[in-house]
Amino acid sequence: MLDYDKEAERYDASRGGEPRAEAAARAVLSLVPRRARTLLDVACGTGIVTRRLAAAPGAPRVTGADLAPAMARRAAARLPGAVVIADSRRLPFRDGGFDAVTSVWLLHLAGSADDVRAIVGECARVLRPGGVYVTTVDKGASHNVGSDIDAVLAARPPSTVHDTAAAVEAYAREQGLLPAGDARFTGHGQGRSPRRTVADLRRGWFVTLPPGDPDAERFAGRLAALPDQDRPRPDPVFTLRAFLKP
């Protein structure tokens, strides 16, 4: 698992920057009701998407929350007075306090199914009746674009996936939330090159291939043997699901 306090400084530049953030915010807002006056962005990271949610015409009043202090500090610089440090499994907000709740690129980081269930439960708790929860699902699968890099990585030890669309919908239904639509957006600038994938591998991006592990180095060698070491392969396409609180 990456250390997101250490990742904060390079997070935006290494993950598509403003083009990716614009695509994400546009897709999120397409699922947020226009009547929403308040929105909580859970795991807001550096606030690069959150700021766009807040700046859209007719946008709701936006609050950001993130567990990593370094990420939250960057978000607070973009949204002064509107960001708190918080664990998504225990949100420090009252029941029914928000018209919309979002969690972009969060659920795949949860360590267990119970953690995902807790996060979805908290997002549902702070959502008012009639409000909408929007979240990314199947994040890991989005990065498999059928490239030669994916062919190499297909042989790595499998990891347990907790953010499948089916699982997230089941947890949402446990909280009384109902499916309310979906959207997709391109992760601009996140197409992997072999050289970049080796660097990510060696800094802990792939949880079943920890840095320094002999298997990790074997995969690094296979990736280093691929052609066009610096040519990015296609960008991933991410999926959002929306859920209504009746």
Side-chain angles (χ1 to χ4, degrees), residues 213-225:
D213 185 281
D215 280 343
E217 287 308 305
R218 281 192 284 272
F219 276 92
R222 295 172 195 170
L223 291 164

Side-chain angles (χ1 to χ4, degrees), residues 12 41 109-110 138 149 152 159 169 176 185 209 217 228:
D12 293 343
D41 189 21
L109 298 174
D138 295 314
I149 295 172
V152 170
S159 59
E169 180 175 335
F185 65 94
L209 293 171
E217 287 308 305
D228 302 317

Side-chain angles (χ1 to χ4, degrees), residues 174-239:
E174 289 176 2
Q175 301 298 324
L177 304 184
L178 301 177
D182 55 66
R184 292 164 68 82
F185 65 94
T186 300
H188 297 290
Q190 286 196 280
R192 291 170 172 155
S193 69
R195 199 183 311 278
R196 174 176 167 179
T197 305
V198 170
D200 287 341
L201 177 65
R202 288 175 170 159
R203 66 191 184 90
W205 184 284
F206 302 100
V207 294
T208 60
L209 293 171
D213 185 281
D215 280 343
E217 287 308 305
R218 281 192 284 272
F219 276 92
R222 295 172 195 170
L223 291 164
L226 293 176
D228 302 317
Q229 280 286 300
D230 294 310
R231 176 176 61 83
R233 278 41 171 184
D235 289 325
V237 176
F238 300 110
T239 300

Side-chain angles (χ1 to χ4, degrees), residues 2-244:
L2 296 178
D3 183 330
Y4 281 88
D5 276 317
K6 293 181 180 178
E7 283 288 298
E9 183 174 354
R10 67 188 303 274
Y11 185 89
D12 293 343
S14 66
R15 289 166 175 80
E18 295 293 350
R20 184 185 79 146
E22 180 182 5
R26 188 186 314 117
V28 168
L29 289 170
S30 75
L31 296 171
V32 172
R34 292 186 180 276
R35 65 181 180 277
R37 299 275 65 88
T38 55
L39 182 149
L40 172 64
D41 189 21
V42 180
C44 66
T46 65
I48 191 170
V49 175
T50 320
R51 175 180 62 184
R52 289 181 175 275
L53 298 177
R61 185 174 72 255
V62 174
T63 300
D66 201 276
L67 182 60
M71 299 287 262
R73 283 195 296 272
R74 288 180 177 270
R78 286 172 161 145
L79 292 158
V83 177
V84 301
I85 296 175
D87 188 326
S88 56
R89 297 165 298 181
R90 294 181 294 275
L91 293 171
F93 304 106
R94 65 180 177 84
D95 295 0
F98 296 92
D99 297 322
V101 179
T102 61
S103 61
V104 180
W105 301 306
L106 167 63
L107 299 184
H108 70 287
L109 298 174
S112 69
D114 286 343
D115 283 342
V116 177
R117 181 179 280 109
I119 293 167
V120 173
E122 279 293 273
C123 291
R125 179 184 65 79
V126 303
L127 191 63
R128 70 162 180 80
V132 170
Y133 171 47
V134 179
T135 187
T136 41
V137 296
D138 295 314
K139 199 268 187 182
S142 300
H143 286 277
N144 188 337
V145 296
S147 71
D148 52 351
I149 295 172
D150 296 319
V152 170
L153 293 175
R156 73 186 188 274
S159 59
T160 303
V161 177
H162 300 299
D163 73 329
T164 65
V168 174
E169 180 175 335
Y171 302 145
R173 287 187 182 276
E174 289 176 2
Q175 301 298 324
L177 304 184
L178 301 177
D182 55 66
R184 292 164 68 82
F185 65 94
T186 300
H188 297 290
Q190 286 196 280
R192 291 170 172 155
S193 69
R195 199 183 311 278
R196 174 176 167 179
T197 305
V198 170
D200 287 341
L201 177 65
R202 288 175 170 159
R203 66 191 184 90
W205 184 284
F206 302 100
V207 294
T208 60
L209 293 171
D213 185 281
D215 280 343
E217 287 308 305
R218 281 192 284 272
F219 276 92
R222 295 172 195 170
L223 291 164
L226 293 176
D228 302 317
Q229 280 286 300
D230 294 310
R231 176 176 61 83
R233 278 41 171 184
D235 289 325
V237 176
F238 300 110
T239 300
L240 290 166
R241 294 291 301 274
F243 300 94
L244 173 70

